[in-house]
Amino acid sequence: MYFDKERFKEEFIQKLQSMQGMSLEEASVNDQYLALGATIRDYISRKWIQTKRQYQEKNDKQIYYFSMEFLLGKLLDMNLINMGIREECRAALQELGIDLSLLIEAEPDAGLGNGGLGRLAACLLDSMAAMHLPGHGCGIRYKYGLFEQKIVDHHQVELPDNWLKDGYVWEYRRPEKSVEVRFWGRVTQIVQPDKWLFIHEDYEPVLAVPYDIPMVGYHNNTVNTLRLWSAEPAQLDFDLSSFNRGDYIRAVEYRHSVERISKILYPDDTHYEGRLLRLKQQYFFVSAGLQSILSDYKRKNRLWQGLPDKISVHINDTHPALAIPELMRLLMDEEGLGWDEAWTITTSTVSYTNHTTLPEALERWPVDMVKSLLPRIYMIICEIHERLCYTIWEQTKNWDLLREISIIADGEIHMARLAVTGSYSVNGVAQLHTDILRKNIFAGFHSWQPYKFNNKTNGITHRRWLIKSNPLLAKLITDTIDGSWIKYPWDLIQLLRYTDDEEVQQRFCEIKRRNKEALAKFIKNKYQIAVSTDSIFDVHVKRIHAYKRQILNVLHIMHLYNQLKENPDWDIVPRTFIFGGKAAPGYYIAKQTIKLINVLAEIINHDNSIQGKLKVVFLENYSVSLAELVVPAADVSEQISTASKEASGTGNMKFMMNGAVTIGTMDGANIDIKNAVGDSDIVIFGLTAQQVFDYYAFGGYNAWDIYHNDSRIKRVLDELINGFFPNEKEEFRPLYNDLLPNNDEYFVLKDFSGYSEAQRIVDNKFRNKQGWCSMALANIAHSGIFSSDRMASEYSVGIWKIKPHIITG
Ligand code: 26V
């Protein structure tokens, strides 16, 4: 973009005046950030208007990615990079005595997601805009994002994330595009000679107001849209002329019940609970999103049959699966189509990605809840269910299959089954995960409609996770293989020629050291813990969950500590174990794990007898922004979930792209990463998914056997409850109980030996500086295929059938 420095400075000062009512001298960093955001927003909006106009004129197919979560992080720096004006802006601001990096810092993270699923949605939007793809997001504008985590007395404490308190510069409220969403009430059926009418009465109306956020493409003219819906009362709260006490109370209650819908992001991503409010959230944004898409379509097109050629609705997990019955409702009840026509259109429009096979995360809604909250939707789901059962029975006469695919069973609606039935494509997010979908959780559907199932391995945007967060490494890569990798990330493979190049290695080591220094400084300032940049930075950051097995890492650290206590001269490479991640507020075991890490950290970090060979740090409030500091500084990436449990993982990709070596199990995308880098540039250990399944089939294994036969394991387990943690004598018994009396559901003890051996290999490999660098560089070289650009184009070609649309300037 052409950048006029003088004009920019004027515009910036003007914004400070008009928006904040401030002169440059008076303005705080936050005021300056808001003014800069508003200035850049104006530049972006020119391209945005152009993009929308050209999409409109060409009437090309558009895709809408429906997701309950978009974990965007900060946008200012990314927008400057994408617009190609960051350095120009930095220089201009410098002339005004302003440090751009402080303004970048001042932006609140948009933390509208729990973890991988929400961040994936954000990476995808970035890639679609970069690749000229007409793809947009649709979600909820939560007033409070994922809670802020504080560690108090070693415990996790949750604080509300009031991210909108100073206003959000990137959003545009569009009240004129509001739509009404209806809850509760009764549906009556009127039979007419040629059709049935369904009348919804006595419903509670909710106004859905859209807020649009521009999604800026990298060095192109594309600006797509993320539309987030906010819930507001649909009518005047009460009639001033005639209200009485009862009306007044009801009116205020109504307002509160409506505003609750978009107030808060559910902070648990693994334990599904049949909460009414969550069901309301789901229907709210799905209905609003579809209504606005259809009204747009109607303005440009005449025939509903053409909808699948113009629109793709993609559902990110089952959370937006009500899109299927809602699209049916809109086509039939609002537009007058018959069932068969509407079904053909719906099942050619909706596609679905599954992100988990954990049974406790699979959504099932109680029939009674759906029936009363969404009476018409319930009728449609029943009809879908009955027709599905009828068809399967007619075709197969197979009761077992019928039971397996039944959408309604035992008083519950199985959302994954609804999603598969109503979608033309179902995909998993890594090779192994897709295999598991085919062979296990959707085996019945797969035997019946195998063509629906496909794999789309996840990806991450290399623009945020390399160019933005690790500029030094990005420069080294460009200096070495030239800059084509930025547009074509698979070109990173050219780095393979330089993995043993001494100069490249040296520069890489120096960059890694500087990134480690930045993190070490942060740790020192925040926690007063001194960590050495000569130590291995061994990083385990992600949501805290039993299946992700932070506890395996902790037990191993305890084991190393025990050995060092016995032999302080033991020659190991010093290590800094870095943890970060949030536990769902109601997830007791995960919270105990956080406490254990913090208590252990305190003991180890204060024990001078081990000569600083081990350090343990728990970084509080892990977020997108913190990840951008941590990932570039990592030497080792911990990806140690129980095989078969992690659908993909995307942290693993961010780390490899930044030259960390993975220690991991044969799970999720670790397998795809291993296939890419080869066996010698990754450290793999532990049970395979098949072995895990085999154990489960025979009731698990006997954890006590391992306890009795492996003295290392016995010792660390005993330490959980024998006063080793003097102030927490009984505190960690629940963790102990899960591992022993409850027989170790996640195979922590079973994999301990393999893990310990793998860590020994890491230690050994790290001693050979050149060998290590060469591994790190090979990881970077092979990371290109894990760019979300590859992912976006695979979805476009394989599922959505959309083509790039170049926006002209
Ligand atoms: C589930 C639930 C259950 C009920 C309450 C709220 C809630 C919110 C989110 C979820 C989604 C769980 C699925 C999920 O996050 N899967 C992750 O998706 C990543 C992107 O594909 C993948 O890399 C991770 O392996 C996978 O765990």
Side-chain angles (χ1 to χ4, degrees):
M1 187 192 117
Y2 173 70
F3 185 83
D4 179 336
K5 188 161 60 169
E6 293 311 316
R7 191 151 155 213
F8 164 81
K9 287 197 283 188
E10 270 168 37
E11 285 166 346
F12 171 72
I13 291 170
Q14 176 64 36
K15 282 277 189 250
L16 260 181
Q17 285 169 1
S18 63
M19 289 178 54
Q20 315 298 116
M22 297 240 182
S23 69
L24 189 54
E25 294 70 38
E26 289 173 284
S28 67
V29 167
N30 197 51
D31 296 324
Q32 293 171 355
Y33 151 69
L34 290 170
L36 176 61
T39 314
I40 304 305
R41 190 177 63 188
D42 285 352
Y43 299 168
I44 293 172
S45 66
R46 279 171 224 152
K47 293 192 178 193
W48 201 7
I49 291 164
Q50 261 172 21
T51 305
K52 285 189 269 196
R53 185 178 304 136
Q54 291 180 34
Y55 284 161
Q56 182 93 13
E57 282 163 10
K58 197 89 185 292
N59 199 11
D60 275 348
K61 184 169 182 179
Q62 309 281 306
I63 103 101
Y64 295 89
Y65 197 76
F66 278 50
S67 176
M68 286 283 268
E69 307 191 4
F70 288 92
L71 191 40
L72 298 173
K74 299 188 200 296
L75 291 184
L76 173 57
D77 197 17
M78 232 22 262
N79 284 343
L80 291 172
I81 294 173
N82 284 338
M83 295 286 286
I85 56 173
R86 182 169 62 166
E87 294 322 307
E88 290 82 346
C89 247
R90 194 191 300 283
L93 288 169
Q94 183 120 40
E95 290 178 13
L96 298 174
I98 294 171
D99 178 355
L100 172 62
S101 58
L102 295 179
L103 311 201
I104 287 171
E105 262 312 291
E107 178 174 356
D109 265 44
L112 309 185
N114 275 283
L117 172 132
R119 184 55 233 173
L120 188 79
C123 283
L124 178 73
L125 291 184
D126 181 80
S127 283
M128 290 196 294
M131 302 190 69
H132 315 272
L133 294 166
H136 315 279
C138 175
I140 298 175
R141 179 183 181 266
Y142 300 105
K143 182 149 189 252
Y144 295 93
L146 187 61
F147 64 85
E148 187 191 331
Q149 177 195 55
K150 284 247 182 287
I151 302 296
V152 179
D153 285 341
H154 310 119
H155 272 111
Q156 166 176 297
V157 174
E158 300 93 22
L159 302 176
D161 165 45
N162 193 2
W163 70 293
L164 289 169
K165 66 177 183 305
D166 297 323
Y168 187 55
V169 283
W170 307 114
E171 68 180 10
Y172 289 75
R173 181 181 161 92
R174 308 244 187 252
E176 75 286 359
K177 301 219 149 105
S178 300
V179 297
E180 189 178 270
V181 178
R182 298 173 176 182
F183 294 102
W184 310 107
R186 286 175 292 115
V187 173
T188 36
Q189 194 173 333
I190 300 174
V191 184
Q192 293 198 332
D194 53 339
K195 60 178 173 212
W196 289 348
L197 288 183
F198 293 88
I199 314 288
H200 192 178
E201 292 166 304
D202 294 337
Y203 54 82
E204 183 179 285
V206 171
L207 195 66
V209 181
Y211 287 71
D212 288 352
I213 303 176
M215 292 290 125
V216 183
Y218 180 81
H219 290 198
N220 65 17
N221 291 311
T222 298
V223 178
N224 290 331
T225 303
L226 167 59
R227 175 162 285 182
L228 300 180
W229 296 92
S230 180
E232 296 184 11
Q235 63 215 15
L236 264 191
D237 285 359
F238 52 90
D239 179 351
L240 272 182
S241 59
S242 68
F243 84 88
N244 60 39
R245 207 177 127 88
D247 289 339
Y248 172 70
I249 303 261
R250 225 173 303 126
V252 175
E253 275 171 0
Y254 164 66
R255 169 174 280 275
H256 280 295
S257 93
V258 167
E259 285 171 351
R260 264 163 63 91
I261 295 174
S262 54
K263 190 149 275 175
I264 181 153
L265 165 79
Y266 271 87
D268 188 336
D269 62 351
T270 33
H271 294 93
Y272 145 81
E273 281 176 274
R275 296 271 186 162
L276 177 69
L277 180 59
R278 177 137 171 116
L279 181 62
K280 268 189 160 178
Q281 291 184 329
Q282 298 186 342
Y283 183 66
F284 166 72
F285 93 98
V286 155
S287 175
L290 285 174
Q291 287 185 55
S292 91
I293 292 165
L294 292 198
S295 77
D296 224 37
Y297 175 83
K298 248 162 90 167
R299 257 184 279 122
K300 289 179 277 183
N301 305 277
R302 279 188 320 109
L303 294 175
W304 287 109
Q305 285 70 8
L307 188 79
D309 300 327
K310 297 291 173 198
I311 303 285
S312 242
V313 170
H314 196 89
I315 59 176
N316 197 21
D317 218 286
T318 57
H319 318 148
L322 291 174
I324 293 158
E326 176 65 1
L327 184 51
M328 289 295 288
R329 183 188 74 81
L330 291 168
L331 292 174
M332 295 188 303
D333 299 3
E334 305 289 327
E335 305 301 335
L337 269 61
W339 179 278
D340 291 331
E341 256 180 323
W343 185 245
T344 304
I345 294 169
T346 299
T347 53
S348 313
T349 302
V350 180
S351 45
Y352 155 56
T353 301
N354 173 284
H355 294 269
T356 184
T357 57
L358 297 184
E360 64 270 32
L362 294 180
E363 295 187 298
R364 301 185 317 253
W365 293 107
V367 160
D368 292 341
M369 194 188 279
V370 177
K371 194 172 175 179
S372 45
L373 183 71
L374 308 167
R376 177 64 181 130
I377 291 299
Y378 176 69
M379 294 166 85
I380 294 171
I381 294 174
C382 286
E383 183 80 25
I384 296 173
H385 164 77
E386 278 164 26
R387 286 174 185 246
L388 172 72
C389 292
Y390 179 82
T391 311
I392 296 267
W393 179 249
E394 284 300 298
Q395 287 181 13
T396 69
K397 302 278 189 275
N398 180 341
W399 273 115
D400 292 331
L401 182 59
L402 210 58
R403 200 167 309 116
E404 217 184 306
I405 52 95
S406 228
I407 294 171
I408 303 177
D410 304 323
E412 292 179 320
I413 300 173
H414 290 242
M415 299 308 278
R417 299 177 190 172
L418 175 64
V420 176
T421 306
S423 303
Y424 66 89
S425 164
V426 178
N427 74 281
V429 289
Q431 282 299 347
L432 172 71
H433 173 232
T434 302
D435 281 353
I436 293 174
L437 294 184
R438 289 188 177 117
K439 292 194 190 121
N440 299 25
I441 77 165
F442 297 138
F445 281 107
H446 181 250
S447 68
W448 182 48
Q449 294 176 317
Y451 51 85
K452 273 192 184 177
F453 291 82
N454 62 91
N455 178 60
K456 296 285 169 282
T457 298
N458 280 167
I460 55 165
T461 165
H462 60 290
R463 286 165 292 274
R464 180 176 291 267
W465 298 107
L466 189 47
I467 299 171
K468 172 181 186 304
S469 61
N470 201 344
L472 299 175
L473 181 57
K475 178 162 185 324
L476 169 61
I477 297 169
T478 298
D479 290 350
T480 311
I481 59 170
D482 94 39
S484 69
W485 66 275
I486 294 176
K487 268 222 139 126
Y488 309 104
W490 28 93
D491 279 358
L492 282 171
I493 199 72
Q494 291 175 30
L495 256 189
L496 265 193
R497 286 185 280 137
Y498 299 91
T499 54
D500 294 321
D501 181 299
E502 245 175 67
E503 193 198 320
V504 174
Q505 286 198 350
Q506 225 166 27
R507 281 184 67 187
F508 173 76
C509 279
E510 176 56 20
I511 289 165
K512 188 57 90 182
R513 196 183 55 75
R514 285 182 58 180
N515 292 336
K516 286 167 81 172
E517 270 165 8
L519 179 58
K521 192 167 149 203
F522 175 86
I523 291 172
K524 179 81 191 150
N525 286 341
K526 197 146 186 214
Y527 306 106
Q528 291 77 50
I529 302 171
V531 301
S532 161
T533 52
D534 292 331
S535 66
I536 300 176
F537 277 23
D538 182 321
V539 184
H540 201 165
V541 286
K542 49 183 80 249
R543 284 299 285 254
I544 312 292
H545 193 286
Y547 87 78
K548 296 182 187 275
R549 298 200 297 191
Q550 281 89 359
I551 193 80
L552 175 56
N553 190 346
V554 174
L555 294 179
H556 177 252
I557 298 171
M558 289 169 67
H559 164 60
L560 291 179
Y561 180 60
N562 288 337
Q563 280 178 285
L564 270 174
K565 289 296 281 178
E566 272 166 21
N567 176 12
D569 294 329
W570 183 32
D571 175 29
I572 59 166
V573 181
R575 272 221 214 197
T576 303
F577 289 98
I578 297 167
F579 290 87
K582 296 177 183 178
Y587 188 176
Y588 184 72
I589 284 287
K591 289 181 127 177
Q592 287 306 96
T593 306
I594 292 178
K595 177 149 194 204
L596 176 62
I597 296 168
N598 282 296
V599 169
L600 181 66
E602 186 150 320
I603 294 177
I604 290 182
N605 297 341
H606 288 101
D607 187 339
N608 293 329
S609 75
I610 58 166
Q611 306 161 17
K613 286 180 185 169
L614 295 182
K615 286 279 163 77
V616 180
V617 181
F618 187 91
L619 299 173
E620 66 186 358
N621 204 35
Y622 183 60
S623 58
V624 172
S625 288
L626 188 52
E628 288 172 26
L629 176 68
V630 173
V631 170
D635 295 308
V636 173
S637 156
E638 297 271 354
Q639 308 299 337
I640 62 175
S641 52
T642 311
S644 79
K645 304 282 181 187
E646 189 71 272
S648 160
T650 43
N652 44 9
M653 301 168 185
K654 294 162 199 163
F655 282 105
M656 85 178 288
M657 194 175 270
N658 283 270
V661 173
T662 305
I663 177 166
T665 45
M666 288 292 273
D667 198 19
N670 297 350
I671 299 175
D672 308 55
I673 291 175
K674 174 179 161 292
N675 290 340
V677 297
D679 294 349
S680 51
D681 293 326
I682 187 167
V683 183
I684 294 286
F685 71 94
L687 296 175
T688 61
Q690 192 54 54
Q691 287 170 320
V692 167
F693 289 141
D694 290 346
Y695 276 117
Y696 281 141
F698 295 100
Y701 78 107
N702 190 347
W704 286 106
D705 283 349
I706 297 196
Y707 173 83
H708 289 302
N709 289 321
D710 189 328
S711 59
R712 305 167 302 176
I713 293 181
K714 178 172 188 311
R715 180 159 175 200
V716 293
L717 284 173
D718 289 347
E719 284 170 349
L720 289 178
I721 52 166
N722 70 5
F724 174 85
F725 301 107
N727 303 323
E728 281 86 16
K729 198 144 183 285
E730 280 304 307
E731 185 84 33
F732 302 126
R733 189 170 289 277
L735 291 173
Y736 175 92
N737 285 347
D738 273 1
L739 294 170
L740 279 168
N742 299 334
N743 210 26
D744 190 15
E745 185 182 350
Y746 296 101
F747 300 88
V748 175
L749 308 191
K750 190 84 187 153
D751 273 348
F752 183 91
S753 212
Y755 181 59
S756 174
E757 175 59 17
Q759 285 291 22
R760 214 188 44 73
I761 293 171
V762 167
D763 176 293
N764 248 324
K765 285 185 184 257
F766 195 81
R767 287 166 197 262
N768 171 359
K769 281 275 155 309
Q770 284 179 356
W772 186 268
C773 264
S774 154
M775 269 203 302
L777 288 165
N779 270 275
I780 301 168
H782 287 290
S783 70
I785 55 165
F786 298 106
S787 163
S788 42
D789 290 6
R790 187 264 316 145
M791 173 177 82
S793 86
E794 284 181 5
Y795 275 89
S796 300
V797 173
I799 300 179
W800 304 323
K801 320 287 179 206
I802 52 167
K803 289 196 288 291
H805 179 143
I806 311 276
I807 304 296
T808 50

